[in-house]
Amino acid sequence: MRFLFSCYFILCGMLLVGCKSQTRASHTNKKLKVLILDGENNHGIWPKTTFMMKSYLEETGLFEVDVYRKKYTWIGPHYNKVKGVENINDLLTLYPLNDGIEREAVKETKYDPNFNPDFEKYDLVVNNLGWKSAKWPEATKTNFENYMKNGGGMVLVHAANNAWGQWEEYNKMIGLGAWGDRDAKSGPYAFYNNEGKEKRDPSEGICASHGAQYEFKLQTRAPKHPIMKGLPKVWLHTKDELYDRMRGPAKNMTILATAYSDTINNAPPWNKKVTGTGRHEPMLMAIEYGKGRIFHSALGHMDYSMESVGFITTLQRGAEWVATGNVTQKVPKDFPLENKSSSRTWTFKN
């Protein structure tokens, strides 16, 4: 009989360990550990937006956030006027890490053979890199792929879906990508049509476009998903870029929210041959990769775009879902409405 009881308790212990292994986050009072990657992004605002996202996550009380900034830093050309800043390169000194590591500002992205964050220390990684980001060493890529397959988490924001179009596993992780030498071979377009049906289109064509920035409405497509539960069916987002024509594997992907790419309003003024798509384009997505989870937000072109309460809330809830598979945060009272956007002025607290 004692032998049977011993077997019973051993089996229960094994089951508990198995349950814990399903998520990297522990069920203790310890905060979830987050690593933000930055250092090169075509959106030159990135030194500021890293600190914005760091504070947004920390203010929930759920997260402890570190930043891994690359050795070679690159301020890209895509940005608008930053309040109080004359030279965009000043952002590197205005938003420093103060970690004692010497870095080099470069005019073009530069490969770093020693780039190797310790992903295993973290419950999730926030990717704030972007278009033209240098390739990672093969060993680092493999480490990240294994981290994700084994239950890691990633949140990627806006231009992070521009990066590494030839990295097959990364394309699987993010579901859909933009630019980065992607084409029809990268995967189909994914969208909702005007009848409210999710569609895939494998036809030839460019990968990614957007018009001038403007306020646009997001429509919730997965109201029962933990990230979206309790959010309005339609809500107005602040001034931002509306990515359309993204393409990729789009497997194990749930489209959480879309925005309508108007043929005129979302036509790029710099390219008269391209119009908006007239389709409801994915803006928020949830992807599963092995045992790992990914929250993909195509929002967040500038600092004022990230001051949107819609952006802040979905970032916070998306990060919790990625790390734990659940969302405990309530929808804030100042969440935007269908015809009224909502923003919070962000102040840097060093």
Side-chain angles (χ1 to χ4, degrees), residues 16-88:
L16 285 171
V17 171
C19 289
K20 286 186 178 181
S21 69
Q22 291 177 10
T23 175
R24 192 168 297 268
S26 63
H27 297 285
T28 68
N29 292 326
K30 291 183 178 179
K31 293 183 179 181
L32 300 164
K33 296 199 68 176
V34 182
L35 181 66
I36 300 179
L37 301 177
D38 77 3
E40 49 188 12
N41 196 318
N42 51 309
H43 291 62
I45 190 68
W46 65 260
K48 181 177 181 180
T49 58
T50 281
F51 279 89
M52 293 176 74
M53 290 189 287
K54 184 177 188 294
S55 67
Y56 291 154
L57 293 175
E58 289 176 338
E59 72 185 25
T60 66
L62 298 173
F63 305 99
E64 177 183 303
V65 184
D66 294 335
V67 179
Y68 188 111
R69 182 160 293 173
K70 301 191 76 175
K71 178 179 179 179
Y72 303 111
T73 58
W74 178 63
I75 298 287
H78 301 153
Y79 55 87
N80 296 88
K81 177 66 178 175
V82 183
K83 187 177 180 180
V85 176
E86 293 298 322
N87 186 330
I88 192 70

Side-chain angles (χ1 to χ4, degrees), residues 158-272:
H158 202 57
N161 70 27
N162 298 185
W164 314 307
Q166 303 307 312
W167 183 359
E168 183 178 356
E169 295 306 308
Y170 184 72
N171 285 334
K172 292 177 182 178
M173 293 178 205
I174 68 175
L176 297 172
W179 296 280
D181 298 322
R182 293 176 173 87
D183 56 24
K185 294 179 182 178
S186 304
Y189 300 117
F191 55 93
Y192 271 77
N193 64 16
N194 290 330
E195 286 70 47
K197 294 183 178 180
E198 187 174 342
K199 295 291 184 180
R200 300 286 191 273
D201 178 5
S203 63
E204 296 286 338
I206 63 173
C207 177
S209 178
H210 65 77
Q213 298 170 67
Y214 63 104
E215 289 194 340
F216 51 82
K217 293 179 181 180
L218 278 94
Q219 183 170 350
T220 297
R221 297 293 182 176
K224 294 183 180 180
H225 192 281
I227 297 173
M228 307 303 292
K229 194 172 183 179
L231 299 188
K233 183 176 180 180
V234 180
W235 45 280
L236 186 63
H237 180 52
T238 55
K239 184 179 177 182
D240 207 340
E241 290 178 341
L242 196 169
Y243 281 1
D244 61 23
R245 295 183 176 89
M246 291 189 289
R247 56 194 321 159
K251 294 181 179 179
N252 304 312
M253 181 182 81
T254 300
I255 297 176
L256 302 175
T258 60
Y260 182 70
S261 173
D262 185 82
T263 55
I264 297 174
N265 286 342
N266 209 44
W270 49 87
N271 188 346
K272 301 299 182 183

Side-chain angles (χ1 to χ4, degrees), residues 38-40 46 69-75 89 92 99 101-112:
D38 77 3
E40 49 188 12
W46 65 260
R69 182 160 293 173
K70 301 191 76 175
K71 178 179 179 179
Y72 303 111
T73 58
W74 178 63
I75 298 287
N89 293 289
L92 285 170
D99 57 4
I101 297 175
E102 186 175 344
R103 296 177 175 84
E104 178 185 347
V106 293
K107 293 183 178 179
E108 296 290 340
T109 57
K110 185 176 180 179
Y111 174 74
D112 178 8

Side-chain angles (χ1 to χ4, degrees), residues 314-328:
T314 53
L315 173 76
Q316 293 168 332
R317 292 166 67 94
E320 185 180 3
W321 174 79
V322 160
T324 70
N326 189 28
V327 174
T328 61

